[in-house]
Protein backbone atom coordinates (compact mmCIF):
# COMPACT_ATOMS: atom_id res chain seq x y z
CA UNK A 1 0.00 0.00 0.00
CA UNK A 2 1.47 3.34 -1.06
CA UNK A 3 -1.41 5.50 0.22
CA UNK A 4 -2.69 6.01 3.77
CA UNK A 5 -5.49 8.32 4.93
CA UNK A 6 -5.94 9.34 8.57
CA UNK A 7 -8.30 11.76 10.27
CA UNK A 8 -7.40 14.75 12.42
CA UNK A 9 -8.77 18.20 13.33
CA UNK A 10 -7.83 21.81 12.66
CA UNK A 11 -8.87 24.78 14.79
CA UNK A 12 -10.86 27.75 13.47
CA UNK A 13 -12.05 29.81 16.42
CA UNK A 14 -14.32 27.63 18.52
CA UNK A 15 -14.78 25.23 15.62
CA UNK A 16 -12.59 22.21 14.92
CA UNK A 17 -13.20 21.18 11.31
CA UNK A 18 -12.17 17.69 10.21
CA UNK A 19 -8.91 17.30 8.28
CA UNK A 20 -7.89 14.29 6.19
CA UNK A 21 -4.17 13.56 6.36
CA UNK A 22 -3.34 11.80 3.08
CA UNK A 23 0.15 10.31 2.78
CA UNK A 24 1.35 9.03 -0.61
CA UNK A 25 4.62 7.30 -1.42
CA UNK A 26 5.71 7.47 -5.08
CA UNK A 27 8.76 6.56 -7.12
CA UNK A 28 11.33 9.26 -7.75
CA UNK A 29 14.06 11.13 -5.97
CA UNK A 30 13.60 11.04 -2.17
CA UNK A 31 11.69 14.11 -0.98
CA UNK A 32 9.17 15.14 1.67
CA UNK A 33 6.46 17.63 0.70
CA UNK A 34 3.47 18.88 2.73
CA UNK A 35 0.62 20.61 0.85
CA UNK A 36 -2.82 21.84 1.86
CA UNK A 37 -2.26 25.43 3.08
CA UNK A 38 0.16 24.59 5.94
CA UNK A 39 1.71 27.33 8.07
CA UNK A 40 5.31 27.38 9.27
CA UNK A 41 4.72 25.02 12.21
CA UNK A 42 3.09 22.45 9.92
CA UNK A 43 5.79 22.72 7.25
CA UNK A 44 8.40 22.09 9.93
CA UNK A 45 6.65 18.79 10.75
CA UNK A 46 8.67 16.94 8.14
CA UNK A 47 11.89 17.51 10.09
CA UNK A 48 10.34 16.49 13.41
CA UNK A 49 8.66 13.43 11.88
CA UNK A 50 11.84 12.29 10.11
CA UNK A 51 13.89 12.49 13.32
CA UNK A 52 11.14 10.88 15.43
CA UNK A 53 10.82 7.92 13.04
CA UNK A 54 14.57 7.34 12.94
CA UNK A 55 14.98 7.54 16.74
CA UNK A 56 12.01 5.19 17.23
CA UNK A 57 13.74 2.55 15.07
CA UNK A 58 11.66 2.88 11.88
CA UNK A 59 12.90 3.35 8.34
CA UNK A 60 12.34 6.52 6.33
CA UNK A 61 11.14 5.37 2.88
CA UNK A 62 13.60 6.43 0.17
CA UNK A 63 10.76 7.57 -2.00
CA UNK A 64 8.87 10.71 -2.88
CA UNK A 65 6.63 11.41 0.16
CA UNK A 66 3.67 13.72 -0.38
CA UNK A 67 1.39 14.70 2.51
CA UNK A 68 -1.89 16.41 1.65
CA UNK A 69 -3.95 18.08 4.39
CA UNK A 70 -7.48 18.30 3.02
CA UNK A 71 -9.52 20.43 2.53
CA UNK A 72 -6.87 22.50 0.80
CA UNK A 73 -8.58 25.87 1.40
CA UNK A 74 -8.61 25.49 5.21
CA UNK A 75 -5.53 27.02 6.90
CA UNK A 76 -3.60 24.49 9.02
CA UNK A 77 -1.54 25.61 12.00
CA UNK A 78 0.38 24.15 14.96
CA UNK A 79 2.23 20.84 15.31
CA UNK A 80 -0.83 18.67 16.05
CA UNK A 81 -0.49 16.95 12.66
CA UNK A 82 2.90 15.38 13.50
CA UNK A 83 1.39 12.15 14.82
CA UNK A 84 -1.03 11.42 11.92
CA UNK A 85 1.71 12.28 9.39
CA UNK A 86 4.15 9.86 11.02
CA UNK A 87 1.53 7.10 11.24
CA UNK A 88 0.55 7.70 7.62
CA UNK A 89 4.14 7.23 6.46
CA UNK A 90 4.47 4.00 8.47
CA UNK A 91 1.15 2.65 7.17
CA UNK A 92 1.87 3.61 3.54
CA UNK A 93 5.27 1.90 3.75
CA UNK A 94 3.64 -1.14 5.45
CA UNK A 95 5.73 -0.87 8.59
CA UNK A 96 2.53 -0.96 10.67
CA UNK A 97 -0.89 -2.46 9.77
CA UNK A 98 -3.33 0.06 8.35
CA UNK A 99 -6.58 -1.88 8.69
CA UNK A 100 -7.70 -0.13 11.91
CA UNK A 101 -6.47 3.40 11.26
CA UNK A 102 -9.91 4.59 10.18
CA UNK A 103 -11.39 3.84 13.63
CA UNK A 104 -9.55 6.76 15.26
CA UNK A 105 -8.72 10.41 14.96
CA UNK A 106 -5.22 11.61 15.81
CA UNK A 107 -3.47 14.71 17.10
CA UNK A 108 -0.11 15.20 18.77
CA UNK A 109 3.22 16.95 18.49
CA UNK A 110 6.31 14.75 18.19
CA UNK A 111 9.63 15.43 19.83
CA UNK A 112 12.79 14.40 18.01
CA UNK A 113 12.98 11.32 20.25
CA UNK A 114 9.45 10.21 19.33
CA UNK A 115 7.76 11.34 22.55
CA UNK A 116 4.30 12.93 22.30
CA UNK A 117 4.03 16.50 23.55
CA UNK A 118 0.75 18.22 24.58
CA UNK A 119 -1.19 20.26 22.06
CA UNK A 120 -3.58 23.19 22.25
CA UNK A 121 -7.35 22.75 21.81
CA UNK A 122 -7.69 19.03 22.59
CA UNK A 123 -11.02 19.54 24.34
CA UNK A 124 -12.40 21.68 21.51
CA UNK A 125 -11.41 19.04 18.95
CA UNK A 126 -12.99 16.20 20.94
CA UNK A 127 -16.16 18.22 21.47
CA UNK A 128 -16.42 18.98 17.75
CA UNK A 129 -15.84 15.34 16.81
CA UNK A 130 -18.76 14.19 18.97
CA UNK A 131 -21.06 17.03 17.97
CA UNK A 132 -20.58 16.55 14.23
CA UNK A 133 -20.20 12.78 14.03
CA UNK A 134 -22.68 10.80 12.00
CA UNK A 135 -23.53 7.70 14.01
CA UNK A 136 -20.87 6.32 16.34
CA UNK A 137 -18.00 8.84 16.73
CA UNK A 138 -14.40 7.76 16.30
CA UNK A 139 -12.06 7.30 19.23
CA UNK A 140 -9.30 9.88 19.70
CA UNK A 141 -5.59 9.14 20.18
CA UNK A 142 -3.92 12.06 21.94
CA UNK A 143 -0.83 12.82 24.06
CA UNK A 144 -1.15 11.71 27.65
CA UNK A 145 -0.98 15.31 28.92
CA UNK A 146 -4.20 16.15 27.02
CA UNK A 147 -6.18 13.07 28.01
CA UNK A 148 -7.73 14.58 31.14
CA UNK A 149 -9.35 17.52 29.39
CA UNK A 150 -10.44 15.58 26.29
CA UNK A 151 -12.12 12.88 28.42
CA UNK A 152 -14.43 15.53 29.92
CA UNK A 153 -16.59 15.28 26.79
CA UNK A 154 -19.41 12.85 27.68
CA UNK A 155 -19.00 9.37 26.16
CA UNK A 156 -15.74 10.33 24.43
CA UNK A 157 -13.33 7.46 23.81
CA UNK A 158 -9.89 8.85 24.56
CA UNK A 159 -6.76 6.71 24.18
CA UNK A 160 -3.68 8.55 25.51
CA UNK A 161 -0.13 7.69 24.54
CA UNK A 162 3.28 8.90 25.65
CA UNK A 163 5.22 8.11 22.50
CA UNK A 164 4.97 7.19 18.85
CA UNK A 165 6.12 3.65 19.70
CA UNK A 166 3.12 3.15 22.02
CA UNK A 167 0.72 4.15 19.24
CA UNK A 168 2.44 1.86 16.73
CA UNK A 169 2.34 -1.03 19.23
CA UNK A 170 -1.40 -0.47 19.62
CA UNK A 171 -1.95 -1.12 15.90
CA UNK A 172 0.63 -3.87 15.57
CA UNK A 173 -0.70 -5.87 18.55
CA UNK A 174 -3.98 -7.78 18.52
CA UNK A 175 -4.41 -7.91 22.27
CA UNK A 176 -2.63 -7.84 25.58
CA UNK A 177 -0.82 -5.07 27.37
CA UNK A 178 0.37 -3.40 24.17
CA UNK A 179 -3.07 -1.94 23.46
CA UNK A 180 -3.74 1.64 24.53
CA UNK A 181 -6.18 1.92 27.42
CA UNK A 182 -9.19 4.21 27.39
CA UNK A 183 -8.85 7.21 29.71
CA UNK A 184 -11.70 8.17 32.06
CA UNK A 185 -12.12 11.58 33.77
CA UNK A 186 -11.20 11.76 37.43
CA UNK A 187 -14.08 11.50 39.89
CA UNK A 188 -12.55 14.25 42.03
CA UNK A 189 -13.44 16.82 39.37
CA UNK A 190 -16.98 17.02 40.74
CA UNK A 191 -15.85 18.27 44.13
CA UNK A 192 -17.07 21.73 45.16
CA UNK A 193 -14.39 24.42 44.98
CA UNK A 194 -14.27 27.05 47.73
CA UNK A 195 -13.98 30.79 47.16
CA UNK A 196 -13.10 33.76 49.35
CA UNK A 197 -16.07 34.56 51.60
CA UNK A 198 -18.24 37.69 51.47
CA UNK A 199 -18.40 37.57 55.27
CA UNK A 200 -14.81 38.87 55.33
CA UNK A 201 -15.99 42.25 54.00
CA UNK A 202 -16.94 44.62 56.80
CA UNK A 203 -19.77 47.08 56.19
CA UNK A 204 -20.55 48.14 52.60
CA UNK A 205 -24.08 46.75 52.81
CA UNK A 206 -25.25 48.77 49.81
CA UNK A 207 -22.43 47.49 47.60
CA UNK A 208 -22.97 43.92 48.80
CA UNK A 209 -26.64 44.14 47.95
CA UNK A 210 -25.80 45.53 44.50
CA UNK A 211 -23.43 42.63 43.77
CA UNK A 212 -26.05 40.14 44.98
CA UNK A 213 -28.50 41.60 42.45
CA UNK A 214 -25.80 41.54 39.76
CA UNK A 215 -25.09 37.86 40.44
CA UNK A 216 -28.77 36.89 40.40
CA UNK A 217 -29.53 38.49 37.03
CA UNK A 218 -26.07 38.30 35.40
CA UNK A 219 -25.82 42.09 35.35
CA UNK A 220 -22.64 44.11 34.91
CA UNK A 221 -21.57 46.41 37.74
CA UNK A 222 -19.31 49.42 38.36
CA UNK A 223 -17.96 50.13 41.84
CA UNK A 224 -16.90 53.74 42.47
CA UNK A 225 -15.01 54.74 45.58
CA UNK A 226 -11.74 55.92 47.15
CA UNK A 227 -8.67 53.70 47.58
CA UNK A 228 -9.01 51.12 50.33
CA UNK A 229 -12.81 51.19 50.42
CA UNK A 230 -13.02 47.48 49.54
CA UNK A 231 -13.80 47.52 45.81
CA UNK A 232 -11.26 44.86 44.85
CA UNK A 233 -12.12 42.79 47.92
CA UNK A 234 -15.79 42.78 46.94
CA UNK A 235 -15.07 41.96 43.30
CA UNK A 236 -12.73 39.07 44.13
CA UNK A 237 -15.50 37.45 46.21
CA UNK A 238 -18.23 38.01 43.62
CA UNK A 239 -17.57 34.73 41.80
CA UNK A 240 -18.56 32.84 44.97
CA UNK A 241 -22.12 34.19 44.66
CA UNK A 242 -22.77 32.78 41.19
CA UNK A 243 -24.89 29.65 40.64
CA UNK A 244 -23.01 26.38 39.99
CA UNK A 245 -22.00 25.78 36.39
CA UNK A 246 -24.06 23.33 34.39
CA UNK A 247 -22.30 20.57 32.44
CA UNK A 248 -22.81 22.42 29.14
CA UNK A 249 -21.46 25.69 30.58
CA UNK A 250 -18.46 23.93 32.10
CA UNK A 251 -17.69 22.16 28.81
CA UNK A 252 -17.92 25.36 26.76
CA UNK A 253 -15.77 27.31 29.21
CA UNK A 254 -13.19 24.52 29.35
CA UNK A 255 -13.06 24.35 25.53
CA UNK A 256 -12.15 28.05 25.36
CA UNK A 257 -9.35 27.64 27.90
CA UNK A 258 -8.17 24.58 25.97
CA UNK A 259 -7.90 26.72 22.81
CA UNK A 260 -5.68 29.13 24.74
CA UNK A 261 -3.60 26.23 26.04
CA UNK A 262 -4.32 27.05 29.67
CA UNK A 263 -6.87 24.47 30.83
CA UNK A 264 -6.19 22.22 33.81
CA UNK A 265 -8.40 19.65 35.48
CA UNK A 266 -8.66 21.82 38.62
CA UNK A 267 -10.61 24.41 36.58
CA UNK A 268 -13.47 22.04 35.78
CA UNK A 269 -16.83 23.56 36.82
CA UNK A 270 -15.04 26.48 38.43
CA UNK A 271 -16.24 29.82 37.10
CA UNK A 272 -13.28 31.78 35.69
CA UNK A 273 -12.17 35.06 37.25
CA UNK A 274 -10.05 37.17 34.89
CA UNK A 275 -8.42 40.40 36.03
CA UNK A 276 -6.25 41.89 33.23
CA UNK A 277 -3.93 44.81 34.00
CA UNK A 278 -4.90 48.25 32.75
CA UNK A 279 -2.00 48.17 30.26
CA UNK A 280 -3.75 45.33 28.40
CA UNK A 281 -4.10 45.85 24.64
CA UNK A 282 -7.32 45.57 22.69
CA UNK A 283 -6.18 42.33 21.03
CA UNK A 284 -5.39 40.77 24.41
CA UNK A 285 -8.78 41.83 25.75
CA UNK A 286 -11.07 40.62 22.94
CA UNK A 287 -8.79 38.18 21.10
CA UNK A 288 -7.08 38.24 17.76
CA UNK A 289 -3.75 37.55 16.10
CA UNK A 290 -2.94 36.26 12.63
CA UNK A 291 -4.38 32.95 13.86
CA UNK A 292 -7.33 34.23 15.95
CA UNK A 293 -7.23 33.14 19.58
CA UNK A 294 -9.61 33.97 22.43
CA UNK A 295 -8.97 37.06 24.55
CA UNK A 296 -9.82 37.91 28.13
CA UNK A 297 -13.53 38.46 27.42
CA UNK A 298 -13.82 34.92 26.06
CA UNK A 299 -11.63 33.38 28.76
CA UNK A 300 -14.09 34.94 31.24
CA UNK A 301 -17.04 33.23 29.50
CA UNK A 302 -19.64 32.19 32.14
CA UNK A 303 -17.40 33.83 34.73
CA UNK A 304 -16.19 37.25 35.85
CA UNK A 305 -14.12 39.86 34.02
CA UNK A 306 -12.81 42.32 36.62
CA UNK A 307 -11.37 45.60 35.33
CA UNK A 308 -9.70 47.43 38.20
CA UNK A 309 -8.81 51.13 37.78
CA UNK A 310 -11.19 51.34 34.82
CA UNK A 311 -10.28 54.90 33.68
CA UNK A 312 -6.60 53.89 33.46
CA UNK A 313 -7.37 51.54 30.55
CA UNK A 314 -6.82 52.97 27.10
CA UNK A 315 -10.14 54.37 25.89
CA UNK A 316 -9.91 52.52 22.57
CA UNK A 317 -9.38 49.28 24.48
CA UNK A 318 -12.50 49.85 26.57
CA UNK A 319 -14.61 50.60 23.51
CA UNK A 320 -14.13 47.06 22.20
CA UNK A 321 -16.25 45.84 25.12
CA UNK A 322 -19.40 47.41 23.73
CA UNK A 323 -20.27 44.60 21.29
CA UNK A 324 -19.70 41.61 23.62
CA UNK A 325 -21.62 43.32 26.45
CA UNK A 326 -24.65 43.47 24.15
CA UNK A 327 -24.39 40.26 22.11
CA UNK A 328 -22.40 37.87 24.31
CA UNK A 329 -20.11 36.99 21.38
CA UNK A 330 -17.03 38.47 19.73
CA UNK A 331 -16.16 38.14 16.05
CA UNK A 332 -12.50 38.37 15.02
CA UNK A 333 -12.15 39.10 11.30
CA UNK A 334 -8.90 38.82 9.36
CA UNK A 335 -8.18 38.92 5.65
CA UNK A 336 -7.78 35.14 5.43
CA UNK A 337 -10.19 33.92 8.11
CA UNK A 338 -12.88 34.81 10.61
CA UNK A 339 -13.47 33.37 14.06
CA UNK A 340 -16.38 33.66 16.49
CA UNK A 341 -15.82 33.27 20.22
CA UNK A 342 -18.47 33.31 22.96
CA UNK A 343 -18.09 36.11 25.52
CA UNK A 344 -20.99 36.06 27.97
CA UNK A 345 -19.36 37.27 31.15
CA UNK A 346 -20.08 39.31 34.28
CA UNK A 347 -18.29 42.63 33.92
CA UNK A 348 -17.27 43.98 37.32
CA UNK A 349 -15.34 47.24 37.11
CA UNK A 350 -13.85 49.47 39.79
CA UNK A 351 -12.65 53.06 39.67
CA UNK A 352 -11.70 56.01 41.82
CA UNK A 353 -13.97 59.07 41.66
CA UNK A 354 -11.13 61.45 40.73
CA UNK A 355 -7.40 61.44 39.83
CA UNK A 356 -6.25 61.47 43.45
CA UNK A 357 -9.06 59.09 44.44
CA UNK A 358 -10.38 60.99 47.47
CA UNK A 359 -13.29 63.02 46.11
CA UNK A 360 -16.03 63.00 48.75
CA UNK A 361 -13.74 61.40 51.36
CA UNK A 362 -14.55 62.41 54.98
CA UNK A 363 -10.98 63.68 55.42
CA UNK A 364 -11.54 66.37 52.74
CA UNK A 365 -8.03 65.78 51.39
CA UNK A 366 -9.05 65.88 47.72
CA UNK A 367 -7.76 68.98 45.91
CA UNK A 368 -8.73 67.99 42.36
CA UNK A 369 -10.40 70.73 40.35
CA UNK A 370 -13.82 70.22 38.82
CA UNK A 371 -12.27 70.11 35.33
CA UNK A 372 -9.76 67.47 36.42
CA UNK A 373 -12.55 65.31 37.89
CA UNK A 374 -14.61 65.60 34.70
CA UNK A 375 -11.65 64.78 32.47
CA UNK A 376 -10.88 61.74 34.60
CA UNK A 377 -14.45 60.44 34.51
CA UNK A 378 -14.76 61.21 30.79
CA UNK A 379 -12.11 58.58 30.07
CA UNK A 380 -15.06 56.19 30.18
CA UNK A 381 -17.33 56.90 27.23
CA UNK A 382 -21.05 57.45 27.64
CA UNK A 383 -21.99 54.50 25.39
CA UNK A 384 -19.90 52.09 27.48
CA UNK A 385 -21.18 53.49 30.78
CA UNK A 386 -24.71 53.18 29.41
CA UNK A 387 -24.19 49.42 29.01
CA UNK A 388 -23.22 48.85 32.65
CA UNK A 389 -26.42 47.89 34.48
CA UNK A 390 -25.42 48.67 38.06
CA UNK A 391 -23.29 51.66 39.13
CA UNK A 392 -22.88 52.10 42.88
CA UNK A 393 -20.71 54.12 45.22
CA UNK A 394 -18.43 52.32 47.68
CA UNK A 395 -17.69 54.92 50.38
CA UNK A 396 -14.67 55.01 52.66
CA UNK A 397 -15.03 52.90 55.79
CA UNK A 398 -15.06 54.68 59.17
CA UNK A 399 -12.49 53.43 61.72
CA UNK A 400 -15.25 52.17 64.03
CA UNK A 401 -16.46 49.74 61.33
CA UNK A 402 -12.95 48.48 60.65
CA UNK A 403 -12.30 47.64 64.29
CA UNK A 404 -15.60 45.77 64.66
CA UNK A 405 -15.95 42.05 64.08
CA UNK A 406 -17.17 41.00 60.63
CA UNK A 407 -20.78 39.90 61.02
CA UNK A 408 -22.10 39.99 57.47
CA UNK A 409 -23.76 37.14 55.59
CA UNK A 410 -21.50 34.48 54.14
CA UNK A 411 -21.20 33.78 50.44
CA UNK A 412 -23.00 30.44 50.94
CA UNK A 413 -26.12 32.17 52.32
CA UNK A 414 -26.19 34.82 49.62
CA UNK A 415 -25.55 32.29 46.86
CA UNK A 416 -28.62 30.32 47.91
CA UNK A 417 -30.82 33.39 47.36
CA UNK A 418 -29.07 34.03 44.06
CA UNK A 419 -29.68 30.43 42.97
CA UNK A 420 -33.40 30.59 43.82
CA UNK A 421 -33.80 33.84 41.87
CA UNK A 422 -31.90 32.42 38.90
CA UNK A 423 -34.06 29.30 38.86
CA UNK A 424 -37.16 31.52 38.78
CA UNK A 425 -35.77 33.27 35.70
CA UNK A 426 -35.02 30.00 33.94
CA UNK A 427 -38.52 28.69 34.68
CA UNK A 428 -40.15 31.91 33.46
CA UNK A 429 -38.15 32.83 30.36
CA UNK A 430 -35.36 30.26 29.97
CA UNK A 431 -32.54 32.78 30.43
CA UNK A 432 -31.13 35.31 32.87
CA UNK A 433 -32.79 38.72 33.11
CA UNK A 434 -29.72 40.38 31.59
CA UNK A 435 -30.42 38.63 28.28
CA UNK A 436 -34.04 39.72 27.91
CA UNK A 437 -34.95 41.28 24.57
CA UNK A 438 -37.08 44.43 24.28
CA UNK A 439 -40.21 42.39 23.67
CA UNK A 440 -39.45 40.10 26.61
CA UNK A 441 -38.88 43.13 28.85
CA UNK A 442 -42.36 44.37 27.96
CA UNK A 443 -43.78 40.94 28.76
CA UNK A 444 -41.97 40.09 31.99
CA UNK A 445 -41.17 43.50 33.52
CA UNK A 446 -44.61 45.12 33.58
CA UNK A 447 -44.89 47.93 36.16
CA UNK A 448 -47.86 49.18 38.14
CA UNK A 449 -48.81 52.86 37.81
CA UNK A 450 -46.72 53.97 40.79
CA UNK A 451 -43.60 52.19 39.56
CA UNK A 452 -44.08 53.54 36.04
CA UNK A 453 -44.34 57.11 37.39
CA UNK A 454 -41.17 56.71 39.47
CA UNK A 455 -39.19 55.41 36.51
CA UNK A 456 -40.58 58.09 34.17
CA UNK A 457 -39.56 60.87 36.56
CA UNK A 458 -36.08 59.38 36.95
CA UNK A 459 -35.72 59.23 33.16
CA UNK A 460 -36.60 62.92 32.84
CA UNK A 461 -34.45 64.08 35.75
CA UNK A 462 -31.34 62.00 34.99
CA UNK A 463 -31.64 62.16 31.17
CA UNK A 464 -31.34 58.43 30.68
CA UNK A 465 -31.35 56.75 27.27
CA UNK A 466 -33.78 54.08 26.10
CA UNK A 467 -31.07 51.48 26.78
CA UNK A 468 -30.75 52.70 30.38
CA UNK A 469 -34.55 52.51 30.74
CA UNK A 470 -34.61 48.85 29.74
CA UNK A 471 -31.61 47.99 31.87
CA UNK A 472 -33.23 49.52 34.95
CA UNK A 473 -36.33 47.40 34.25
CA UNK A 474 -34.19 44.27 34.03
CA UNK A 475 -32.49 45.06 37.34
CA UNK A 476 -35.89 45.72 38.93
CA UNK A 477 -37.09 42.35 37.61
CA UNK A 478 -34.08 40.69 39.29
CA UNK A 479 -34.78 42.46 42.59
CA UNK A 480 -38.36 41.19 42.46
CA UNK A 481 -37.07 37.66 41.76
CA UNK A 482 -34.81 37.84 44.80
CA UNK A 483 -37.87 38.78 46.85
CA UNK A 484 -39.83 35.91 45.27
CA UNK A 485 -42.48 38.26 43.85
CA UNK A 486 -44.07 37.85 40.45
CA UNK A 487 -44.95 41.53 39.99
CA UNK A 488 -42.33 44.27 39.66
CA UNK A 489 -43.41 46.92 42.16
CA UNK A 490 -42.52 50.50 42.97
CA UNK A 491 -40.04 49.42 45.68
CA UNK A 492 -38.16 47.26 43.21
CA UNK A 493 -37.98 50.09 40.67
CA UNK A 494 -36.82 52.56 43.30
CA UNK A 495 -33.98 50.26 44.38
CA UNK A 496 -32.96 49.64 40.77
CA UNK A 497 -32.77 53.40 40.18
CA UNK A 498 -30.48 53.79 43.20
CA UNK A 499 -28.22 51.12 41.73
CA UNK A 500 -27.56 53.28 38.67
CA UNK A 501 -26.32 56.46 40.32
CA UNK A 502 -22.70 55.71 41.21
CA UNK A 503 -21.41 58.85 39.48
CA UNK A 504 -24.41 61.00 40.33
CA UNK A 505 -22.74 63.66 42.46
CA UNK A 506 -19.06 62.91 42.00
Amino acid sequence: MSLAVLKSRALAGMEAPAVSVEVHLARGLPSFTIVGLPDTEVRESKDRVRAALQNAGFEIPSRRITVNLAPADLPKESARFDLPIALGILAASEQIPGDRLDLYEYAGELSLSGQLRPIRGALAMTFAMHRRSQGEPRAFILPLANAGEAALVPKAHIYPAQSLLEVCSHFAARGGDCLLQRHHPQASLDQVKSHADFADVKGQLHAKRALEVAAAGRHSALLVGPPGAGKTMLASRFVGLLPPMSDDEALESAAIHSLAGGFTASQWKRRPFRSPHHTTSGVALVGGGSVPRPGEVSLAHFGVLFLDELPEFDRRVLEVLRQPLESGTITISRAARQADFPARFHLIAAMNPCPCGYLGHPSNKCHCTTDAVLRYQDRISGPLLDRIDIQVEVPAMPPSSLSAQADGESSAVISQRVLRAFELQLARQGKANEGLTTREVDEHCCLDSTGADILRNAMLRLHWSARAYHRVLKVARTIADLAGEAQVGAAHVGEAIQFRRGLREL
Side-chain angles (χ1 to χ4, degrees):
M1 181 176 67
S2 60
L3 176 67
V5 180
L6 294 87
K7 299 296 182 182
S8 187
R9 295 271 165 180
L11 289 177
M14 283 293 291
E15 300 297 321
V19 172
S20 293
V21 180
E22 303 170 348
V23 180
H24 181 250
L25 305 183
R27 295 177 180 176
L29 292 176
S31 64
F32 197 151
T33 306
I34 299 178
V35 298
L37 209 58
D39 71 351
T40 302
E41 293 173 274
V42 180
R43 287 195 296 269
E44 291 173 347
S45 291
K46 57 186 179 182
D47 298 313
R48 291 191 298 269
V49 169
R50 181 182 286 110
L53 290 176
Q54 289 176 339
N55 289 320
F58 295 102
E59 294 183 1
I60 304 296
S62 298
R63 303 173 69 180
R64 183 183 182 89
I65 304 173
T66 303
V67 178
N68 178 41
L69 305 177
D73 60 346
L74 177 69
K76 320 297 188 309
E77 51 87 22
S78 92
R80 69 176 58 89
F81 300 107
D82 288 3
L83 178 60
I85 290 174
L87 292 175
I89 293 174
L90 294 177
S93 60
E94 298 184 350
Q95 296 183 64
I96 63 171
D99 55 333
R100 292 188 293 149
L101 291 177
D102 191 52
L103 302 177
Y104 302 87
E105 293 193 6
Y106 311 84
E109 177 184 348
L110 286 173
S111 69
L112 299 186
S113 64
Q115 298 296 308
L116 283 175
R117 289 176 172 163
I119 57 173
R120 181 176 57 85
L123 180 57
M125 290 189 290
T126 310
F127 182 66
M129 179 180 67
H130 271 251
R131 185 178 55 184
R132 295 184 174 186
S133 62
Q134 301 293 333
E136 183 68 21
R138 294 185 179 91
F140 218 144
I141 294 180
L142 293 168
L144 180 62
N146 295 117
E149 60 179 278
L152 294 174
V153 178
K155 300 181 181 179
H157 291 253
I158 304 300
Y159 291 88
Q162 298 187 67
S163 66
L164 176 62
L165 275 176
E166 287 188 6
V167 180
C168 294
S169 298
H170 175 77
F171 290 106
R174 294 299 174 179
D177 296 335
C178 292
L179 293 177
L180 296 176
Q181 300 300 312
R182 181 182 174 185
H183 184 85
H184 296 277
Q186 300 176 11
S188 60
L189 294 180
D190 293 329
Q191 295 178 358
V192 178
K193 312 297 191 305
S194 60
H195 300 278
D197 204 319
F198 241 59
D200 300 335
V201 183
K202 299 179 181 180
Q204 303 297 6
L205 298 181
H206 183 63
K208 288 181 179 179
R209 170 65 174 173
L211 291 182
E212 178 182 343
V213 174
R218 290 190 176 177
H219 303 291
S220 53
L222 171 64
L223 307 177
V224 185
K231 304 185 296 296
T232 303
M233 192 175 186
L234 286 164
S236 63
R237 285 156 173 75
F238 177 78
V239 69
L241 307 183
L242 302 177
M245 297 184 80
S246 65
D247 290 340
D248 290 341
E249 288 178 341
L251 192 59
E252 193 168 337
S253 176
I256 297 173
H257 284 265
S258 176
L259 287 174
F263 178 77
T264 60
S266 61
Q267 296 174 271
W268 178 246
K269 285 198 172 182
R270 187 182 180 95
R271 292 193 182 273
F273 181 86
R274 307 292 298 187
S275 181
H277 192 259
H278 58 75
T279 57
T280 298
S281 67
V283 172
L285 192 62
V286 300
S290 57
V291 178
R293 295 193 182 184
E296 292 291 337
V297 296
S298 296
L299 295 174
H301 186 53
F302 292 131
V304 178
L305 177 66
F306 176 48
L307 301 183
D308 201 5
E309 304 296 344
L310 187 66
E312 302 300 332
F313 283 80
D314 187 276
R315 181 165 179 149
R316 291 174 296 179
V317 173
L318 291 179
E319 293 307 296
V320 301
L321 293 173
R322 286 157 63 172
Q323 180 206 347
L325 279 174
E326 288 284 346
S327 63
T329 61
I330 187 72
T331 300
I332 308 298
S333 296
R334 296 292 181 264
R337 65 187 74 181
Q338 176 177 306
D340 294 317
F341 296 105
R344 191 161 296 282
F345 55 90
H346 282 272
L347 173 64
I348 306 296
M351 63 174 287
N352 297 326
C354 66
C356 77
Y358 292 100
L359 180 66
H361 196 276
S363 64
N364 294 320
K365 58 181 178 180
C366 175
H367 300 288
C368 298
T369 64
T370 302
D371 288 343
V373 173
L374 291 177
R375 282 195 302 270
Y376 184 76
Q377 295 183 358
D378 283 345
R379 294 181 185 178
I380 309 170
S381 70
L384 176 61
L385 200 61
D386 207 34
R387 287 168 166 82
I388 300 179
D389 299 343
I390 295 175
Q391 304 163 23
V392 294
E393 184 180 0
V394 184
M397 292 292 294
S400 59
S401 298
L402 294 175
S403 60
Q405 291 291 327
D407 57 355
E409 291 182 306
S410 67
S411 296
V413 174
I414 301 174
S415 64
Q416 288 301 313
R417 292 199 298 268
V418 169
L419 180 59
R420 287 194 295 269
F422 187 66
E423 289 174 345
L424 283 176
Q425 297 165 42
L426 293 181
R428 182 178 60 242
Q429 68 232 5
K431 64 176 78 171
N433 289 332
E434 179 272 335
L436 292 175
T437 64
T438 302
R439 179 174 297 180
E440 290 170 336
V441 168
D442 294 337
E443 179 182 354
H444 300 297
C445 305
C446 298
L447 303 178
D448 55 22
S449 58
T450 305
D453 290 339
I454 292 175
L455 183 54
R456 188 181 306 110
N457 292 333
M459 287 280 297
L460 294 174
R461 186 171 66 255
L462 301 174
H463 308 289
W464 282 343
S465 66
R467 179 185 287 113
Y469 171 82
H470 286 106
R471 290 185 179 271
V472 168
L473 282 177
K474 294 176 186 179
V475 173
R477 175 68 268 176
T478 302
I479 295 171
D481 290 335
L482 283 168
E485 300 179 10
Q487 178 67 37
V488 180
H492 309 137
V493 174
E495 187 176 4
I497 292 172
Q498 294 302 316
F499 285 155
R500 201 176 175 85
R501 304 181 69 182
L503 296 174
R504 176 170 56 97
E505 296 177 350
L506 301 180

